[in-house]
Amino acid sequence: SAMLASLALTSSCQGGGGTPTPTPTPTSTIPVTLTQQSAARLLNQATFGATYDTISAAQGQSYDQWFAAQAATAPSLTSPLVAANPSGGWTQYWWHNAVLGPDQLRQRMAFALSEILVVGGSPDQATGQAPNLAAYYDILVSDSLGNYRKLLEDVTLSPEMGLYLNMFRNDKP
């Protein structure tokens, strides 16, 4: 009971004298515009690697401007590349978009999502063929910077995830 009384007295105090403690104003060390060093750091974290050209392009922009420009960039999709050359493997087209695509943030996010929303072991040994994997990865690319609920719905309804969750090609016990 002594503990409760102490707690009640402490909670009724306003911090001594009744004057509220002023809220500190946040001080930011993030530069308003990207310098060469901060642009290189951002690009190395948010893309598959910075180049001199991408650093120069980002330099002078704010973080918000860079993110908005990346969000406005059209997705680099893998399905059209696979459809144009069906005999090629899926991974070579993935590499092409990951390294050369203008939507680097979207590609990096899609890659991270592919590590979470898995549909198989290795890219070329998963449940489907190259067109199916390309279509699945295109879902991740297209939805990577959007609404998470929409992403989960599209992944859930994708044929490749259906095959994976259906235990397709699993050995009989």
Side-chain angles (χ1 to χ4, degrees), residues 101-115:
D103 59 334
Q104 284 289 293
L105 178 62
R106 191 180 302 274
Q107 293 295 325
R108 183 69 180 237
M109 286 296 297
F111 177 71
L113 289 168
S114 75
E115 298 290 312

Side-chain angles (χ1 to χ4, degrees), residues 55-118:
I55 292 169
S56 297
Q59 212 172 334
Q61 294 182 12
S62 69
Y63 285 91
D64 289 340
Q65 289 171 329
W66 186 82
F67 282 110
Q70 284 292 300
T73 303
S76 300
L77 302 177
T78 309
S79 292
L81 299 173
V82 170
N85 186 10
S87 63
W90 175 81
T91 53
Q92 72 180 347
Y93 302 118
W94 176 84
W95 275 108
H96 172 79
N97 285 339
V99 174
L100 301 174
D103 59 334
Q104 284 289 293
L105 178 62
R106 191 180 302 274
Q107 293 295 325
R108 183 69 180 237
M109 286 296 297
F111 177 71
L113 289 168
S114 75
E115 298 290 312
I116 299 166
L117 304 170
V118 179

Side-chain angles (χ1 to χ4, degrees), residues 7 19 27 41 58 75 95 106 119 121 126 138 144-145 162-163 168 170:
L7 183 60
T19 57
T27 56
R41 184 172 189 266
W95 275 108
R106 191 180 302 274
V119 291
D138 286 350
S144 64
L145 299 180
L163 288 173
F168 184 65
N170 277 5

